[in-house]
Amino acid sequence: MPCAYNCILKRLILLFFMLASVGAVCAQSSGTITGRAVNKFTQEPLPFATVYWKAAGFGSMTDSAGTFRLKKSFRTADTLVIRYVGYTVKYIPIQATDNGTPLFVQLEVTMNQGVEVKGKLDRGLVWWRHIVAHKPANAPGHYDTYHSELYNKLEIDLANFNKRRWERSKTLHPFAFVIQQIDSTSEQTPFLPVFLSESISDYYVSGAPPKVREEIKALRCSGIKNESVMEYMGGINQKVNTYDNYMYIFGKEFVSPVSNVGDKYYNYKGLDTVMLGGQQYYHLAFTPKREGENLFSGDCWIHPATWALQKISLSVSGVVNINFVKRLDIIQEFSLLNEKEWVVTKDKFIAELAPLGKEKTTFIGRKTTLYQHVEVNQPYITQKLNTNKKKEEVVIPDSALTTANDFLAQHRPEALTTNELHAITLVDTLKSMPAFRQLSNTVTFLVDGHIKLGKVEIGPWYKWISRNPLEGMRFRFDLGTTAAFSRNLRLYGYLAYGTKDESLKGKMAVAYELPGNKGWSMLSSYKDDLDNLQRGFNGEEVSLDNIFGQAVRRHGIPQKFIRESEFKLALTKKFPQCFSMQGAVSRSIFTTFAPLPSHKLFLRPGDDNSNVVNTEFQLKLRYAPGEREIRTFRKTRRLRSNLPVTELTYALAPSGILDSKYNYQKISVSVSQQFRIPRWGQVNYMVYAGKIFAEKVPFMLLQIHPGNETYYYNKEAFSLMNKYEFFSDRYAGINIEHNFGSKLLNVLPFMRRTGLRQFWNAKTVAGDLSYANKAFNHMEFGGYGMRSLKGNVYTEVGTGVDNIFKFFRVDAVWRFYPQSGSASHSGNFGLFGSFRLQF
């Protein structure tokens, strides 16, 4: 028995090892491969892409994260095929799948042609109609209050550059170490991460009244210290909503594929129907009907139970009228917060800019926003928003900067890639290098015009030398302090000398801003120089005090000068509600030169001073709702909203104060606004009016209607009106311009690729001058060419073409006014050019 038992046991053991060996062989022959399919440009996963073996004939689909798992082919020669609608098909030989590592498959978008619609009742069009019909219920933002924790990440990469040229360049040779940080996962199109910012914040929104509050808990920006710029690294500038009928990107209007009028612009194609997590989803593709219009190509996934978007991908490429943008992609994802509320869970915006040309070095910006812990209509949200001092407020405590690294490490919702880790320190490393500082200063000098020398700077260089009929050759030297001297106090000024009049001129000024972001600022200045900038609305005229000044002047028009010696003191307070108030006092001494009337005509008998002397007190109120500012050390750039901006100015000049000889009061008001007309571009207008309560006031203190004596177009001046041609003591006018882009030009197919844009504008003013002021200024009684509008209406209308070679604009202008035979003017028609950088 023991022998029999042992024999049986040995046979069982032998059978077990034989079965184990067969299992191992089978397992080896039937192994699996894993991988991930993504969009090559955006790096976004491609859900429900088809993955299969071409010869073996079996396959699977990627999941919602773009990953797949598939058995290996039993064929020795086979090809793995990855397909996704609107993308190039990817073929991978079986040998490339044997290295044991997960596959990383990048597919290129090809969906830039219209999809074919064979029937009037194509299911894609039916799906689109259902989406539009259910937009009021599904579009995020219809709740009363909203809160989420935002994670924002902005990365900027340098792409499409020549590595060998970089290595051979003497200028870039000191930065050769940067080449080692180039992304190694895409050798065919390498890119270099150069900047990364991250922030985590609490974001609060209410619909009525509209308020936004963002409290930043952690913020890291490589190389950026400007607080007004850092505000844009958060979420308060998130404006993209794919449910809107029209989306505004880089200042251009795009028709959304889920717009109420989308069927007039897009072809729709119903694709797959898939099941995910027990839920059914429809896959819808869309492409533009016509080339050259601001439209998207892309696809979306629809939740048919509610007809809401679960994910939408928008791509802009090819013939779209945005300057310097080579490629643009937008991805937005949504999820159900409860049974009825859909909220945004992810925003991704990727743009590739090609300022040097599409085949040259480009810049890729990637902005990702993740929304977590979303809650709506909770009492604490209203309590937070009630602490706002203005409609939109960003709070950046010191702790958000000092503890950013630790906080981000603990709360970052997704890990940083190797490239992003390189970008964190790259900017700070470069800024510490003397070679980089020298290169940066050179570029700043050429573009900005200034040379920084530690705590002081000189420039701009283009004002160092110029020429005019009064001064002959004019030499000028500017000197000012930098932020290294003080961020709140700025000292600046210049000296100028003319070789013909042999006279020294100049300016010195002190600008101070109270620390702590309290809104108080002060300016004190003294200037004794020719008035190169005429007295107009906002000093927008191109100054002739530069090396190019005389080159843009129109011939045959005498240049006119007033020398003004002015002391000015101004105090400004900016309030949180987008309201500002400025009080100023100035004392001016005027000296005029031919062909203007001599200043001595305005002196009273017995005047000791041989010049016109005036002292003025001024109060200016400004209300600009929704306006935001980007502040740099020398300038403040205003980013206006689509709401009207109102300015009211009152001035009082009492005689006898500081030797002033004139007594008057002035009041003026203006309202300006920019807004869009859906599908018909942008409108800008300014309505203004004013009155001067006085008699016998010299012309330089009256309202001088701004003229233009150059070939360069000035949006606030009358192009065909000479400087110092018309004066008023009561007036009203309107300036309006309508830019409608390529709307009409695109009707002609051969014009769609030119990128040209059209506009029309009109400027009109009515004014009059009292008889006493006419007589006192010898208007229409002498040969000075100065006159009153006499209650008539002066009008200029114009049209033209913009975006010529991406930079230039040409205006054709016609003048309409009751002409006088004795008065000389610039003519009734003129062509003007201008230059501006725009998308």
Side-chain angles (χ1 to χ4, degrees):
M1 287 292 295
C3 181
Y5 176 80
N6 289 335
C7 290
I8 294 172
L9 181 62
K10 288 180 181 178
R11 290 176 182 177
L12 289 174
I13 293 174
L14 179 61
L15 179 63
F16 171 78
F17 278 109
M18 290 177 63
L19 291 173
S21 300
V22 171
V25 172
C26 292
Q28 290 177 1
S29 63
S30 60
T32 59
I33 59 171
T34 59
R36 188 165 181 252
V38 301
N39 180 308
K40 185 176 182 180
F41 179 63
T42 67
Q43 299 298 300
E44 278 293 297
L46 298 178
F48 316 124
T50 304
V51 183
Y52 64 93
W53 291 106
K54 186 175 182 180
F58 65 88
S60 67
M61 297 181 68
T62 61
D63 61 16
S64 60
T67 60
F68 62 87
R69 188 179 186 89
L70 184 66
K71 288 184 179 181
K72 285 189 175 182
S73 174
F74 54 82
R75 300 288 186 93
T76 57
D78 208 340
T79 301
L80 186 68
V81 182
I82 300 94
R83 290 181 179 272
Y84 194 78
V85 176
Y87 289 74
T88 55
V89 181
K90 192 77 171 183
Y91 299 96
I92 302 176
I94 191 171
Q95 293 80 5
T97 66
D98 291 336
N99 55 14
T101 59
L103 299 175
F104 185 66
V105 184
Q106 302 182 82
L107 302 186
E108 189 77 48
V109 173
T110 60
M111 189 166 50
N112 52 18
Q113 303 294 328
V115 293
E116 182 183 358
V117 181
K118 296 182 178 180
K120 292 183 179 180
L121 295 178
D122 178 79
R123 62 177 180 173
L125 192 59
V126 174
W127 293 352
W128 167 80
R129 289 173 180 166
H130 282 295
I131 296 173
V132 172
H134 291 80
K135 278 170 61 173
N138 294 326
H142 59 274
Y143 28 73
D144 296 327
T145 59
Y146 167 93
H147 164 260
S148 69
E149 183 182 75
L150 299 189
Y151 171 71
N152 275 284
K153 178 171 61 179
L154 173 63
E155 179 186 349
I156 299 177
D157 302 322
L158 194 64
N160 200 34
F161 58 90
N162 190 309
K163 295 170 61 175
R164 293 183 180 179
R165 184 177 298 174
W166 181 302
E167 294 169 342
R168 292 196 301 263
S169 172
K170 293 182 179 180
T171 303
L172 299 177
H173 182 71
F175 317 114
F177 74 96
V178 174
I179 299 294
Q180 305 302 321
Q181 302 189 36
I182 291 177
D183 169 58
S184 59
T185 64
S186 53
E187 287 299 329
Q188 294 180 349
T189 56
F191 64 88
L192 171 67
V194 296
F195 173 83
L196 180 76
S197 78
E198 291 181 283
S199 72
I200 296 179
S201 60
D202 283 316
Y203 189 67
Y204 306 89
V205 183
S206 68
K211 286 185 180 181
V212 178
R213 180 177 182 84
E214 183 173 17
E215 297 179 351
I216 296 182
K217 297 187 285 189
L219 174 62
R220 175 171 58 190
C221 300
S222 304
I224 291 182
K225 307 300 179 185
N226 188 306
E227 185 171 340
S228 67
V229 176
M230 291 167 70
E231 290 181 0
Y232 283 80
M233 303 302 177
I236 203 165
N237 61 324
Q238 301 296 317
K239 302 296 183 184
V240 174
N241 183 359
T242 52
Y243 274 101
D244 286 341
N245 289 329
Y246 306 97
M247 303 162 61
Y248 300 99
I249 304 169
F250 291 114
K252 300 294 178 289
E253 179 186 78
F254 283 76
V255 181
S256 171
V258 294
S259 167
N260 293 356
V261 294
D263 57 335
K264 297 180 181 179
Y265 297 90
Y266 289 95
N267 291 317
Y268 298 95
K269 187 67 175 179
L271 303 174
D272 306 328
T273 300
V274 299
M275 297 295 296
L276 177 63
Q279 294 282 337
Q280 187 182 42
Y281 288 92
Y282 295 161
H283 192 189
L284 174 67
F286 44 84
T287 52
K289 284 187 174 182
R290 294 172 294 275
E291 183 184 67
E293 295 184 326
N294 288 352
L295 302 169
F296 300 102
S297 297
D299 64 321
C300 62
W301 293 91
I302 308 163
H303 182 245
T306 58
W307 291 104
L309 298 176
Q310 189 270 333
K311 180 178 181 179
I312 185 168
S313 300
L314 310 173
S315 180
V316 174
S317 59
V319 186
V320 173
N321 197 357
I322 309 181
N323 292 334
F324 315 116
V325 177
K326 182 178 180 180
R327 180 78 180 269
L328 173 67
D329 279 72
I330 299 172
I331 298 99
Q332 202 161 41
E333 295 182 12
F334 307 85
S335 64
L336 269 172
L337 181 64
N338 45 52
E339 293 183 357
K340 61 178 182 178
E341 297 281 352
W342 283 87
V343 294
V344 181
T345 54
K346 183 176 183 179
D347 273 325
K348 193 163 186 178
F349 185 98
I350 310 100
E352 184 173 11
L353 305 181
L356 305 177
K358 293 187 177 182
E359 303 304 321
K360 303 293 184 180
T361 301
T362 61
F363 299 88
I364 301 178
R366 311 175 194 270
K367 178 71 180 286
T368 303
T369 303
L370 303 179
Y371 302 76
Q372 304 179 97
H373 314 305
V374 177
E375 291 186 302
V376 298
N377 301 331
Q378 297 296 319
Y380 76 90
I381 304 176
T382 303
Q383 294 172 5
K384 276 288 185 180
L385 289 167
N386 287 339
T387 63
N388 273 22
K389 295 180 180 179
K390 52 185 180 181
K391 289 183 179 180
E392 293 187 355
E393 190 166 314
V394 181
V395 180
I396 309 178
D398 293 338
S399 60
L401 304 175
T402 56
T403 63
N405 290 344
D406 294 336
F407 192 92
L408 286 165
Q410 297 176 17
H411 298 87
R412 184 185 290 116
E414 58 183 22
L416 296 179
T417 66
T418 302
N419 294 320
E420 291 167 343
L421 291 171
H422 286 321
I424 289 177
T425 58
L426 182 59
V427 172
D428 293 322
T429 302
L430 289 174
K431 290 181 69 175
S432 66
M433 299 176 60
F436 180 80
R437 290 198 298 268
Q438 182 178 355
L439 178 61
S440 177
N441 290 338
T442 301
V443 174
T444 300
F445 172 67
L446 294 175
V447 177
D448 181 59
H450 292 78
I451 301 177
K452 287 182 170 59
L453 304 171
K455 295 183 178 181
V456 298
E457 64 181 3
I458 61 175
W461 59 266
Y462 49 83
K463 291 192 174 184
W464 286 348
I465 184 171
S466 60
R467 183 181 180 86
N468 63 69
L470 182 62
E471 296 178 285
M473 295 298 297
R474 173 183 167 98
F475 299 95
R476 171 170 163 168
F477 177 77
D478 292 70
L479 181 67
T481 59
T482 65
F485 173 80
S486 172
R487 298 198 66 87
N488 300 101
L489 175 66
R490 182 178 177 230
L491 312 175
Y492 61 97
Y494 67 84
L495 288 175
Y497 180 79
T499 59
K500 186 176 180 180
D501 66 352
E502 299 180 346
S503 177
L504 188 67
K505 311 163 190 74
K507 177 181 180 178
M508 51 186 178
V510 179
Y512 179 73
E513 185 173 343
L514 193 67
N517 196 26
K518 299 183 182 299
W520 286 100
S521 61
M522 183 271 293
L523 172 67
S524 177
S525 66
Y526 174 76
K527 178 182 178 182
D528 182 15
D529 200 356
L530 299 178
D531 188 11
N532 284 288
L533 288 173
Q534 72 175 5
R535 294 169 173 271
F537 293 113
N538 293 312
E540 294 288 342
E541 182 187 16
V542 177
S543 172
L544 298 180
D545 181 20
N546 61 72
I547 194 172
F548 310 107
Q550 295 302 312
V552 298
R553 273 191 55 79
R554 286 184 285 161
H555 302 294
I557 303 176
Q559 194 166 352
K560 307 168 186 69
F561 291 101
I562 296 179
R563 182 162 180 169
E564 181 177 5
S565 177
E566 179 194 56
F567 170 78
K568 184 175 183 179
L569 178 64
L571 185 64
T572 303
K573 169 62 175 176
K574 295 180 180 179
F575 297 90
Q577 295 80 14
C578 300
F579 174 76
S580 64
M581 179 172 61
Q582 182 185 82
V585 57
S586 61
R587 182 181 187 271
S588 302
I589 302 174
F590 299 97
T591 305
T592 62
F593 301 90
L596 293 176
S598 172
H599 57 277
K600 296 181 180 180
L601 293 173
F602 309 109
L603 301 179
R604 295 182 175 90
D607 282 349
D608 297 331
N609 198 312
S610 59
N611 300 96
V612 174
V613 181
N614 182 67
T615 301
E616 182 178 284
F617 297 88
Q618 186 183 93
L619 177 65
K620 182 176 181 179
L621 308 178
R622 187 173 190 272
Y623 180 55
E627 184 177 82
R628 304 183 67 192
E629 293 182 345
I630 295 181
R631 299 182 299 275
T632 59
F633 187 63
R634 272 187 271 111
K635 296 179 180 179
T636 297
R637 183 185 177 191
R638 291 169 172 167
L639 303 179
R640 295 172 56 180
S641 69
N642 60 351
L643 299 175
V645 176
T646 304
E647 294 185 358
L648 176 66
T649 304
Y650 172 77
L652 171 66
S655 61
I657 303 295
L658 299 176
D659 203 27
S660 177
K661 304 300 181 183
Y662 304 98
N663 189 357
Y664 61 82
Q665 297 181 68
K666 295 181 181 179
I667 186 168
S668 64
V669 62
S670 70
V671 178
S672 59
Q673 186 182 11
Q674 61 181 22
F675 63 90
R676 292 188 174 274
I677 302 175
R679 292 182 283 170
W680 281 99
Q682 179 170 290
V683 175
N684 293 266
Y685 74 85
M686 178 175 67
V687 180
Y688 58 94
K691 183 174 176 60
I692 301 173
F693 301 90
E695 293 184 351
K696 297 184 178 181
V697 176
F699 71 88
M700 64 282 293
L701 302 177
L702 295 171
Q703 172 64 25
I704 307 171
H705 297 293
N708 181 15
E709 297 179 350
T710 71
Y711 293 108
Y712 196 90
Y713 182 78
N714 178 8
K715 66 179 181 179
E716 293 192 348
F718 293 97
S719 299
L720 296 173
M721 180 188 292
N722 289 345
K723 293 175 64 175
Y724 302 105
E725 182 179 356
F726 287 105
F727 300 80
S728 297
D729 55 21
R730 51 194 183 276
Y731 59 93
I734 180 172
N735 296 352
I736 184 169
E737 179 166 299
H738 178 198
N739 292 273
F740 46 88
S742 303
K743 186 72 176 181
L744 298 182
L745 290 175
N746 280 346
V747 174
L748 305 173
F750 65 90
M751 295 294 294
R752 291 175 183 170
R753 292 183 175 271
T754 63
L756 298 179
R757 302 165 187 170
Q758 288 179 285
F759 59 87
W760 68 266
N761 51 40
K763 301 174 186 177
T764 184
V765 62
D768 205 352
L769 196 61
S770 68
Y771 181 83
N773 277 323
K774 289 180 184 177
F776 186 64
N777 287 276
H778 301 269
M779 290 187 181
E780 298 155 18
F781 301 101
Y784 300 113
M786 297 165 49
R787 50 187 171 147
S788 163
L789 290 168
K790 297 182 182 180
N792 293 315
V793 178
Y794 178 98
T795 302
E796 290 182 357
V797 296
T799 186
V801 179
D802 196 3
N803 204 41
I804 303 171
F805 302 117
K806 299 182 180 180
F807 293 102
F808 300 101
R809 159 174 165 157
V810 174
D811 285 72
V813 181
W814 290 264
R815 162 176 166 149
F816 299 93
Y817 181 73
Q819 302 298 332
S820 171
S822 61
S824 62
H825 57 82
S826 302
N828 295 324
F829 175 77
L831 289 174
F832 300 86
S834 56
F835 168 91
R836 64 173 178 164
L837 187 64
Q838 60 180 325
F839 283 106

